Amino acid sequence: MVKLERLRADHAEALLAFELENRAYFARSIPDRGDAYFAEFDALHQARLAEQDDGICHFHLVTDGEGTILGRVNLIDVEDGSAELGYRVGEQAAGRGVATAAVAEVCRVAGTAYGLTSLVAVTTLDNPASRAVLERNSFTFVEDIAVAGRPGVRYRRAHLGQPGTAGSKV
Ligand SMILES: CC(C)(COP(=O)(O)OP(=O)(O)OC[C@H]1O[C@@H](n2cnc3c(N)ncnc32)[C@H](O)[C@@H]1OP(=O)(O)O)[C@@H](O)C(=O)NCCC(=O)NCCS
């Protein structure tokens, strides 16, 4: 099973360890966060929590239900009932349906607890796993775009708070 935990101050140490452990793995498919992110992690963590308190963002750890971090799923730039979805799953948990299940759950929470009506997401054409996660959660094509200089796609999903069409292995 996967469980979403809304980001808290006391997640800092475990979250930094997760990001460090998976830094090279993530950089194979998405832009690296850069050295400053790791050097100034505590201050950035506090800043993220302040944004969350202001309702601008909703950050979540994806855990195995026993506290081990499997990944992250975040909603950023909340505005007019919509937000941008982002997610990452660590190498140790890859390919087990974790991202699919976590995105399904964050869509539900977005439509219920957060009162959002739609989510958008962007990914690159050379990231088929990410595209699969979105399409299995009823995100649909909006437009072709460039993402960090690479060909990409923008997706959107409305009807949050309802199950997507995809099943989950988790
Ligand atoms: C993309 C990512 C989130 C997927 O996480 P995950 O937990 O492994 O994903 P899931 O297991 O839920 O589903 C991935 C699906 O893509 C499929 N997939 C994986 N690689 C694929 C490929 N090369 N071509 C086609 N499908 C692929 C998997 O087979 C799986 O489908 P299945 O369950 O039918 O087998 C994870 O690899 C990751 O964090 N990558 C780095 C960060 C990133 O790319 N984030 C997304 C930014 S938009």
Side-chain angles (χ1 to χ4, degrees):
M1 75 172 263
V2 302
K3 182 180 167 201
L4 299 195
E5 293 186 20
R6 190 169 166 87
L7 192 66
R8 304 186 307 257
D10 67 330
H11 284 137
E13 187 179 343
L15 182 54
L16 175 57
F18 169 83
E19 289 285 353
L20 281 168
E21 182 184 337
N22 289 287
R23 182 176 182 180
Y25 173 67
F26 290 146
R28 297 211 288 270
S29 43
I30 54 175
D32 181 57
R33 292 190 185 280
D35 291 340
Y37 173 86
F38 297 94
E40 297 158 21
F41 185 85
D42 285 342
L44 286 169
H45 191 66
Q46 290 305 319
R48 296 287 176 271
L49 291 171
E51 288 181 311
Q52 183 165 260
D53 287 346
D54 289 343
I56 300 166
C57 305
H58 304 287
F59 301 107
H60 312 86
L61 303 188
V62 182
T63 76
D64 62 358
E66 295 177 0
T68 299
I69 300 176
L70 305 178
R72 311 181 65 173
V73 59
N74 298 326
L75 305 175
I76 65 168
D77 296 339
V78 173
E79 193 174 357
D80 297 333
S82 189
E84 182 169 332
L85 167 70
Y87 45 85
R88 50 181 63 197
V89 168
E91 189 166 17
Q92 297 287 330
R96 302 197 326 235
V98 169
T100 299
V103 168
E105 177 62 3
V106 86
C107 287
R108 190 188 67 76
V109 172
T112 54
Y114 303 153
L116 301 180
T117 52
S118 68
L119 295 178
V120 296
V122 299
T123 189
T124 50
L125 292 183
D126 61 4
N127 196 341
S130 181
R131 298 179 68 191
V133 167
L134 294 172
E135 290 170 9
R136 289 159 68 186
N137 275 293
S138 302
F139 280 78
T140 55
F141 173 87
V142 175
E143 60 183 343
D144 293 313
I145 54 168
V147 181
R150 287 143 67 187
V153 181
R154 186 189 312 280
Y155 288 87
R156 180 175 183 272
R157 174 174 160 176
H159 307 296
L160 306 173
Q162 301 172 9
T165 54
S168 167
K169 294 187 290 189
V170 180

